[in-house]
Amino acid sequence: MELVWFKRDLRVDDHAPLFNAAQRGPVLPVYIVEPELWAQPDASARQWAFVTECLVDLDTSLRNLGQPLLVQFGDVVEVFTKLQRTYQFERLWSHEETGNGWSYARDKKVSAWCKARNIPWYQLPQFGVIRGLKDRSGWSRRWDRVMGEPAAPAPKALAPVSIDGSSLPRAQSLGLVSDPCQGRQIGGRVQGLRILNSFLFERAGPYRKAMSSPLTAENSCSRLSTYLAYGCISMREVAQATWNRQVELKQMTQPPEGWRGALASFSGRLHWHCHFMQKLEDAPSIETRNLHRAYDGLRTAENVELLKAWQKGETGFPFVDACMRYLRVTGWMNFRMRAMLMAFASYHLWLDWRQPGLHLARQFVDYEPGIHWPQVQMQSGTTGINTIRIYNPVKQGYDQDPSGAFVRRWIPELREVPDNFLQEPWKWEGAGQVLDKSYPLPIVDHMTAAKEARQKLWAVRKGEPFRSQANAIQQKHGSRRSGIAQINRRTTKAASSKKNQMSFPFD
């Protein structure tokens, strides 16, 4: 008997553990609902709702092969002990997981359990992440090679095994707080494939121009992140489908305008997906500790009121608040606005990145720890190797919502404010009718706060000890596209070009 442990890989196609296990003998496919995992501070009911839909879809796929999914509830080691007594499975199969700190510790427990019982545990790569990586050189080429390998087909059939499983618990049974998310995506492989197909053949054309604004990103971004996070579709499937579509476009005499460039950009971003996951794989402490230790203790005071205002979308900055409210309803946000929300919390509100990072983790239905935590630190300026990017929350509103349509939809309190004052309602002569009544005054002076934050952060980046540690971080985690020598230039010169709205755009 072969036991296949499904975790964040909820599919039967291109599932190497399932395919290989099925070559050996009867397969017992198992998903374990782990109460401790869902009690972690980065978990939410909206994520569990998506997962339950994925599990129903997975069970249907497995039943079509002849063997339904066995759902178990409890501690994974206790579950495996019970299943081993009942089914006498000889091997455990799963994908490698680059998850949060809790899942990392859990996998170590499983490894010890397997060794104590002489049960081989085969963990196979799911993404382009390399476990035990010693050097980043050649990483991108290896990613291309791995993604170009043939996908493992679903088994033709699975021999039926008599099972007595559990039903899927409700969110409340897992202790998850009620978390309505009316606009979230629906889980499952069927939905994931539909969205992949619609992106590659219907929606991708304006991808490059439309990805930055929340007005257009919802339709023009791929929207595949949630399906990749829970493994409804594989990265290999997405990469190969994208490459095949690029070949089709290249062969066209007159390809649709913008499409070739759009898919070239998207293909590059697939690399970045795994590039960031590799960071957490190589340094699990990124989830809890500053990557560059020179920033330890820089943000010490916890301002609970500022954190709550940011979480509720009540900071007094219309575009920031609109983005936060949109996220609360949809469970998704385009990359630029994610970066702005995190940067605003870190720089303008001067909050330590951990609590804002956890709030966003719970809000994102597509939460992928390996991407989320390196990005949180990157947008908070604590990596030591990235340019400090302080978004101007007012300028972002003018740039990404020039008509004010997005703000008006999500901040109805500002319906009386004229269009030309919508991003800065405090400048309107009638501001007293709205501000500090139905909508708050700005909780900080954004220009003063940004200046002070920038000065504090750049003060830390001076000196040889900082550069020496930054060089080591770059050597371990950095993209090889930019040489280590660039770090010295970054740490002595601010990148404040007005052309780059991701840097520090003074009015």
Side-chain angles (χ1 to χ4, degrees):
M1 178 73 69
E2 312 292 319
L3 192 148
V4 177
W5 179 20
F6 288 89
K7 295 191 281 184
R8 292 170 67 97
D9 49 357
L10 306 180
R11 64 182 185 275
V12 298
D13 294 270
D14 197 25
H15 196 292
L18 177 63
F19 174 78
N20 283 279
Q23 308 304 304
R24 300 286 192 99
V27 170
L28 184 66
V30 176
Y31 181 86
I32 303 172
V33 181
E34 302 169 86
E36 264 195 62
L37 172 63
W38 292 99
Q40 298 307 302
D42 54 355
S44 64
R46 62 181 57 194
Q47 295 164 358
W48 174 243
F50 186 90
V51 169
T52 57
E53 293 161 353
C54 295
L55 291 172
V56 170
D57 188 282
L58 174 62
D59 180 62
T60 300
S61 297
L62 287 166
R63 285 178 185 274
N64 290 337
L65 297 177
Q67 172 60 51
L69 178 69
L70 173 61
V71 176
Q72 296 285 279
F73 183 94
D75 174 80
V76 65
V77 168
E78 293 177 4
V79 169
F80 283 154
T81 301
K82 180 184 70 172
L83 293 178
Q84 216 282 324
R85 284 199 302 264
T86 304
Y87 297 100
Q88 298 295 310
F89 63 87
E90 297 183 6
R91 284 168 286 270
L92 174 63
W93 298 81
S94 75
H95 276 118
E96 294 176 349
E97 181 179 3
T98 304
N100 61 11
W102 185 90
S103 70
Y104 177 62
R106 175 255 273 143
D107 282 357
K108 290 171 69 175
K109 285 170 50 181
V110 172
S111 179
W113 181 88
C114 288
K115 287 178 181 177
R117 287 156 181 79
N118 200 29
I119 296 174
W121 180 16
Y122 297 102
Q123 297 184 75
L124 306 180
Q126 177 174 206
F127 295 110
V129 176
I130 304 168
R131 184 156 288 183
L133 181 66
K134 301 299 182 183
D135 191 325
R136 275 277 188 150
S137 299
W139 183 92
S140 184
R141 289 190 298 275
R142 178 167 174 171
W143 187 96
D144 288 332
R145 187 167 62 252
V146 169
M147 292 304 146
E149 294 171 355
K156 293 181 179 180
L158 296 176
V161 178
S162 177
I163 61 174
D164 182 17
S166 306
S167 59
L168 293 173
R170 294 182 178 275
Q172 295 90 329
S173 306
L174 292 171
L176 294 167
V177 177
S178 178
D179 181 26
C181 187
Q182 303 92 331
R184 70 168 176 82
Q185 292 175 296
I186 304 301
R189 179 171 174 80
V190 172
Q191 289 290 328
L193 291 174
R194 182 184 65 80
I195 289 173
L196 172 61
N197 188 67
S198 73
F199 177 69
L200 293 180
F201 292 91
E202 300 169 16
R203 299 184 289 111
Y207 177 72
R208 277 180 165 175
K209 294 181 179 178
M211 71 170 73
S212 295
S213 171
L215 283 166
T216 52
E218 183 175 311
N219 184 67
S220 296
C221 285
S222 77
R223 303 305 310 276
L224 293 169
S225 55
T226 319
Y227 301 95
L228 286 168
Y230 296 100
C232 304
I233 53 179
S234 75
M235 177 60 76
R236 180 179 288 106
E237 290 177 303
V238 174
Q240 292 186 8
T242 302
W243 297 338
N244 290 339
R245 179 63 172 145
Q246 286 179 287
V247 171
E248 289 180 10
L249 291 168
K250 189 174 182 180
Q251 292 173 345
M252 291 182 183
T253 305
Q254 290 184 316
E257 184 178 356
W259 274 76
R260 290 177 62 179
L263 292 187
S265 294
F266 176 68
S267 181
R269 285 175 183 269
L270 295 179
H271 287 76
W272 282 105
H273 171 284
C274 298
H275 165 79
F276 279 99
M277 290 186 70
Q278 185 72 57
K279 292 174 185 281
L280 188 64
E281 176 69 30
D282 294 343
S285 63
I286 289 177
E287 181 186 357
T288 57
R289 198 173 68 182
N290 288 324
L291 184 58
H292 198 301
R293 304 309 302 277
Y295 293 106
D296 290 356
L298 187 63
R299 300 177 174 103
T300 53
E302 262 192 47
N303 193 315
V304 177
E305 293 306 312
L306 291 181
L307 177 62
K308 286 182 178 179
W310 176 79
Q311 291 173 330
K312 293 178 180 178
E314 297 177 354
T315 67
F317 291 92
F319 191 60
V320 171
D321 294 341
C323 287
M324 189 62 82
R325 296 184 192 188
Y326 171 88
L327 173 60
R328 186 164 61 232
V329 172
T330 67
W332 180 85
M333 178 60 67
N334 63 314
F335 172 77
R336 184 179 291 276
M337 299 304 92
R338 294 182 191 220
M340 181 195 71
L341 288 175
M342 194 64 225
F344 184 83
S346 299
Y347 300 126
H348 296 90
L349 304 186
W350 202 241
L351 298 170
D352 182 87
W353 53 266
R354 294 164 182 83
Q355 287 306 313
L358 283 171
H359 176 74
L360 291 179
R362 293 188 293 269
Q363 292 289 291
F364 294 146
V365 179
D366 64 358
Y367 169 55
E368 178 66 75
I371 298 174
H372 181 73
W373 292 111
Q375 279 290 332
V376 162
Q377 288 220 41
M378 179 174 164
Q379 304 305 337
S380 300
T382 55
T383 66
I385 62 173
N386 298 104
T387 300
I388 296 173
R389 293 168 172 172
I390 304 180
Y391 291 73
N392 182 323
V394 174
K395 184 179 185 298
Q396 286 298 308
Y398 284 121
D399 287 349
Q400 309 303 340
D401 185 26
S403 70
F406 185 74
V407 166
R408 290 208 180 279
R409 179 180 177 187
W410 297 101
I411 315 287
E413 305 96 301
L414 300 180
R415 57 185 171 273
E416 303 298 330
V417 179
D419 289 349
N420 54 327
F421 291 105
L422 190 58
Q423 304 295 346
E424 300 174 275
W426 54 87
K427 292 185 176 181
W428 176 42
E429 59 183 13
Q433 304 171 30
V434 177
L435 301 189
D436 211 22
K437 293 182 174 61
S438 59
Y439 184 72
L441 288 160
I443 55 177
V444 293
D445 180 311
H446 71 286
M447 295 301 291
T448 300
K451 279 184 180 180
E452 292 176 354
R454 188 169 182 272
Q455 289 169 357
K456 291 175 184 176
L457 286 162
W458 278 98
V460 173
R461 293 169 75 102
K462 295 178 179 178
E464 180 55 35
F466 181 95
R467 288 194 289 272
S468 177
Q469 187 176 341
N471 283 340
I473 293 169
Q474 172 69 20
Q475 179 64 36
K476 184 172 184 177
H477 297 289
S479 167
R480 290 300 181 261
R481 291 181 181 179
S482 56
I484 294 175
Q486 289 186 0
I487 294 175
N488 292 332
R489 294 195 292 273
R490 290 196 193 110
T491 54
T492 56
K493 180 181 179 181
S496 58
S497 168
K498 292 183 179 179
K499 294 180 180 179
N500 183 359
Q501 60 182 318
M502 295 185 73
S503 58
F504 188 72
F506 285 105
D507 289 339

